[in-house]
Amino acid sequence: MPTMNADRIHRLQLIALLALAPLGAIAAPSVSRLTPPSELFSSGRPEPVIARFLPGQRFDLQATLRPDAGRSLSGARFLLDGKPAAGNVTLRDCASGCTTGVPANAVIASLRAFSVAATGRHEFSIEAEQDDGQKLSARGNFDVIPFSTPQGKPVKNVIILLGDGMGAAQRTAARIVKNGYAQGKAIAPLAMDTFPATALVKTSSLNSVVTDSSPGMTSYVLGNKNNNNEEGVFPDDTTDAFDNPRIEYLSEYLHRTQGKALGIVTTADVFDATPAGNAVHTSNRGAGTGIVDQFFDDRGATGLTVLMGGGRKWFLPSATPGSARGDKTDYVFDAADPHRAEIAKRWGISPGALDKDRDLIKDFQGAGFQYASSKTELDAAKGGKLLGLFSLSNMNVALDKIDGRRGKKQGLTGSVVDDYGFPDQPMLDEMAEKALATLARQTQGFVLMIEGASIDKQAHNMDTERWMLDTIEFDRTVQVAQDFARDRGDTLVIVTADHECSGAALIGASRVTDAVLQQLGKAGGSANLRDKVVGVYEQAGFPKYRIAADGYPETTDIDFRLLVAYGANADRYEDWRSNPQPVKDSQQPLVKAEPLKWYPENPAERDGLGNFLIPGQVPGESAVHTATDVPLSAFGPGAFSFVGVIDNTDVFFKLAQAAVKGPVAPADMTVKAKGKR
């Protein structure tokens, strides 16, 4: 009979002991979340390193500690590279509210506004002790990225032009519509086409290959991934939308270290994901009252000097008609709660207040901001700081604003902008010109983010002509920024997107005139609107749009028009013609009780009479974002660091490198640790 070796005997003895042990006797306290996120904690692998920071960039350390049932914890401390991390560790028990599945006796340990100056790979850990003497610990890692050797003067100003949802197809469509092609050659480039350096950007978020706009934007200005729907924070296990672990934004870092100002310009509601994702810290992108309050209350941390877009409803006292302010979307860092009070104390920010009746416009004016509610007032503004709110929520899109202006010249009324109650809205390029004129007075320079928001919103609606004209409006804004940078020589400009939206594809062009297309639309069905209309390959030819003096097509209902399909679409009907009215914007209520025209509730309702159903690839009523890489183009000193295929978080470090140490050549953003790459 063979003899058992010692290891096998030990394993059998252990199995027997475990089988005899009562339930709960072998339980052990554990760490279920460690922040910043790391693969070392999640999987035991040291790479890839998930979290990366600039030297001195501030961020929060946090851990969720789970003691055994009926037990408690004490002595929690964080360590950096094996040594106690400096700072006060606060403990919050989950009896006051944590996410589903986290026991009530779990503890959230936090160390706020931590920073590391030493570059390279760092290991951090959490240690604590249960009341019965059992110890628990966990470890993770992060990188601190060094500044490269400067190759010139640091750039004074950074301009980030963000075409929300703008993939390669959206850029190409704008080029075809705006300038046309002749025998296969573009007659003229878009402004963004003339930028000398181009990269492809990977856009995934912390928790999905398909990002939404919150982490899509924040990755560029944090250097770290956020979860979808979260901005400026790492995820945590509390239900509080404003107490998550924070990461310092580019605007905050450069304002704190260099005194740079911040400008935010958008065609969306200013509380929306992209504008908020430059200055606001929350795990709920929909918490509008707290978001806009942070813009104002924390302006000392961000240097906010210009804020323009829609969103007036969040600034009006709750009793004012049209207001959306409410305590449920607000926050207060109560001094009686050490966990929350520490956020305001360590980050040097306002403790906030539940103040739904606050007049935030008046607060901005009292702080020296000139307020503009229309294009007329914007044109007259001459202050050193500027607040512009041109609609209750999202601004109307370029096609509708242009139609409104053209109608006014002809003495007509009843346009979409009239129906929505804001007939005097500025175009994005007009807002950009005023923002740059205001920020140019800042002696230490500025960071300016300009968003073309409805490229995305209208791609969600599969409203082709509306996102096309919004992309043209955005490119006119790119030209404004490029002219500013070219004249000065001290400004770095990038133009990119947070993600692609709708899987837009330029499939060809109509084979028929618009008059024939309308007749085929009455007949309906795929036999007419697909088989007789859609021209592919050489049948597509070169669509020819006539551009008016205002820079936009005289009409988008031309003969032999450009045709666009969608790969990430919901069910929709198609008639290939421009939609007279946009899909109703649920965030922006119509001011008129009885609008002059019918507004469809959703894309499927819009073209139903055409009877050409295109089944959707996705559930719901809207097209969705895709995981496709997006183009990034760069202009000015430091532009040539933006080449190759890069991660969206790399953009942050390249911008910071240019602003702090001067323009640098393309550089690997990976820290080498002990012989490993």
Side-chain angles (χ1 to χ4, degrees):
M1 182 176 179
T3 303
M4 291 187 185
N5 62 39
D7 286 343
R8 187 178 179 191
I9 292 172
H10 177 73
R11 286 198 301 272
L12 290 173
Q13 289 173 335
L14 180 60
I15 291 170
L17 286 171
L18 293 175
L20 292 171
L23 288 176
I26 59 170
S30 64
V31 179
S32 59
R33 186 189 294 276
L34 185 63
T35 300
S38 83
E39 276 298 299
L40 183 61
F41 170 73
S42 298
S43 67
R45 299 192 306 266
E47 295 178 338
V49 171
I50 306 302
R52 299 179 300 166
F53 305 98
L54 292 171
Q57 183 184 1
R58 300 189 296 173
F59 58 97
D60 290 342
L61 298 175
Q62 193 173 91
T64 300
L65 312 175
R66 298 193 183 203
D68 294 337
R71 296 292 185 179
S72 61
L73 295 171
S74 63
R77 64 173 186 164
F78 288 96
L79 296 93
L80 178 70
D81 299 325
K83 299 179 180 179
N88 179 44
V89 177
T90 60
L91 302 179
R92 176 194 188 277
D93 67 71
C94 280
S96 56
C98 281
T99 55
T100 303
V102 180
N105 72 331
V107 173
I108 310 293
S110 305
L111 197 165
R112 302 289 183 176
F114 186 70
S115 66
V116 180
T119 61
R121 181 73 43 84
H122 295 279
E123 185 174 293
F124 71 105
S125 58
I126 181 74
E127 292 180 349
E129 184 173 318
Q130 193 166 264
D131 58 6
D132 62 358
Q134 290 192 75
K135 305 249 191 304
L136 69 161
S137 65
R139 62 194 182 105
N141 62 12
F142 60 82
D143 284 346
V144 175
I145 304 299
F147 287 111
S148 301
T149 303
Q151 297 182 346
K153 293 181 179 179
V155 299
K156 183 177 181 181
N157 311 308
V158 173
I159 303 175
I160 303 168
L161 293 144
L162 198 291
D164 202 306
M166 186 183 69
Q170 283 86 357
R171 290 175 64 151
T172 305
R175 186 189 309 118
I176 293 170
V177 173
K178 182 179 180 182
N179 296 320
Y181 277 60
Q183 299 187 70
K185 292 290 186 74
I187 294 173
L190 296 174
M192 65 184 94
D193 292 341
T194 67
F195 282 31
T198 298
L200 276 178
V201 179
K202 297 171 281 188
T203 62
S204 63
S205 68
L206 183 62
N207 65 340
S208 177
V209 69
V210 181
T211 189
D212 83 326
S213 291
S214 300
M217 176 71 242
T218 60
S219 293
Y220 293 140
V221 289
L222 288 176
N224 283 273
K225 306 279 188 178
N226 287 167
N227 272 4
N228 285 356
N229 300 308
E230 301 187 352
E231 46 209 25
V233 296
F234 289 125
D236 72 358
D237 288 315
T238 74
T239 55
D240 190 323
F242 289 97
D243 74 342
N244 285 55
R246 293 185 169 209
I247 314 116
E248 190 171 37
Y249 280 111
L250 180 69
S251 61
E252 294 172 312
Y253 184 85
L254 293 180
H255 182 67
R256 179 169 61 86
T257 60
Q258 297 185 1
K260 292 193 187 302
L262 171 64
I264 297 173
V265 177
T266 180
T267 52
D269 188 316
V270 295
F271 101 104
D272 208 10
T274 301
N278 286 268
V280 172
H281 302 269
T282 180
S283 62
N284 178 9
R285 59 176 284 184
T289 308
I291 287 170
V292 297
D293 282 0
Q294 268 195 54
F295 277 135
F296 178 78
D297 291 341
D298 295 353
R299 68 194 185 281
T302 63
L304 183 68
T305 302
V306 172
L307 179 63
M308 281 195 280
R312 197 182 306 166
K313 65 183 183 181
W314 302 108
F315 292 71
L316 303 172
S318 62
T320 304
S323 173
R325 288 187 66 85
D327 289 347
K328 289 184 178 180
T329 59
D330 208 349
Y331 68 93
V332 56
F333 297 138
D334 191 344
D337 182 344
H339 172 78
R340 296 171 62 80
E342 189 76 358
I343 300 171
K345 177 182 177 182
R346 290 288 300 155
W347 284 92
I349 56 172
S350 167
L354 300 182
D355 48 7
K356 64 182 181 180
D357 295 322
R358 182 180 196 179
D359 187 336
L360 196 55
I361 293 174
K362 185 176 290 185
D363 286 350
F364 268 93
Q365 291 174 316
F369 283 75
Q370 187 160 350
Y371 172 59
S373 65
S374 65
K375 178 185 182 299
T376 301
E377 292 180 1
L378 179 65
D379 290 343
K382 296 180 180 179
K385 298 178 181 179
L386 183 59
L387 172 69
L389 301 171
F390 306 109
S391 61
L392 283 176
S393 184
N394 301 312
M395 295 175 66
N396 289 114
V397 300
L399 186 152
D400 297 322
K401 288 186 290 188
I402 288 296
D403 280 354
R405 292 186 179 191
R406 291 173 178 174
K408 295 298 182 293
K409 289 181 179 179
Q410 299 167 17
L412 303 177
T413 59
S415 66
V416 171
V417 293
D418 289 321
D419 288 348
Y420 274 82
F422 300 98
D424 189 21
Q425 297 174 57
M427 306 300 290
L428 183 61
D429 52 316
E430 294 165 348
M431 290 192 283
E433 287 176 345
K434 183 63 73 169
L436 287 167
T438 302
L439 290 166
R441 303 186 185 104
Q442 298 294 317
T443 58
Q444 302 304 312
F446 60 82
V447 176
L448 171 62
M449 192 289 301
I450 306 173
E451 181 198 21
S454 285
I455 302 170
D456 174 76
K457 296 181 189 303
Q458 297 306 315
H460 276 296
N461 291 336
M462 298 163 287
D463 195 328
T464 300
E465 284 69 34
R466 280 185 170 79
W467 65 247
M468 282 180 178
L469 264 67
D470 262 57
T471 310
I472 291 173
E473 179 188 37
F474 179 72
D475 191 64
R476 290 169 62 86
T477 308
V478 173
Q479 186 67 67
V480 169
Q482 186 181 29
D483 290 345
F484 177 90
R486 183 185 289 113
D487 290 344
R488 298 175 61 93
D490 61 358
T491 302
L492 172 60
V493 185
I494 65 167
V495 53
T496 188
D498 44 0
H499 51 75
E500 195 277 340
C501 183
S502 77
L506 314 186
I507 58 173
S510 168
R511 293 185 289 163
V512 300
T513 65
D514 187 57
V516 171
L517 179 60
Q518 292 183 63
Q519 292 301 315
L520 292 173
K522 293 176 182 178
S526 59
N528 290 292
L529 284 166
R530 184 190 66 194
D531 300 351
K532 294 178 182 178
V533 173
V534 179
V536 298
Y537 299 109
E538 65 277 1
Q539 295 174 337
F542 300 106
K544 293 179 174 60
Y545 292 79
R546 296 181 301 276
I547 304 301
D550 55 26
Y552 296 87
E554 293 177 357
T555 177
T556 49
D557 286 325
I558 66 167
D559 298 339
F560 315 112
R561 66 192 302 138
L562 181 66
L563 299 183
V564 175
Y566 301 94
N569 62 301
D571 290 348
R572 67 186 176 102
Y573 290 92
E574 184 60 85
D575 64 3
W576 302 120
R577 301 195 77 248
S578 302
N579 302 301
Q581 288 80 42
V583 169
K584 190 181 296 183
D585 185 347
S586 61
Q587 295 187 72
Q588 175 79 307
L590 294 169
V591 172
K592 292 188 177 180
E594 296 181 2
L596 301 177
K597 309 177 191 70
W598 170 76
Y599 285 80
E601 294 287 343
N602 56 64
E605 185 181 279
R606 181 179 55 211
D607 294 320
L609 297 177
N611 197 29
F612 174 28
L613 173 65
I614 301 178
Q617 314 287 343
V618 301
E621 297 179 339
S622 301
V624 299
H625 301 171
T626 69
T628 306
D629 294 352
V630 297
L632 181 151
S633 302
F635 178 88
F640 286 100
S641 64
F642 295 92
V643 294
V645 180
I646 62 177
D647 190 71
N648 51 10
T649 58
D650 292 337
V651 174
F652 168 83
F653 294 99
K654 294 175 186 294
L655 293 174
Q657 293 276 6
V660 176
K661 288 294 186 180
V664 295
D668 183 10
M669 291 287 109
T670 303
V671 168
K672 296 180 180 180
K674 297 181 180 179
K676 292 185 178 180
R677 183 186 173 90

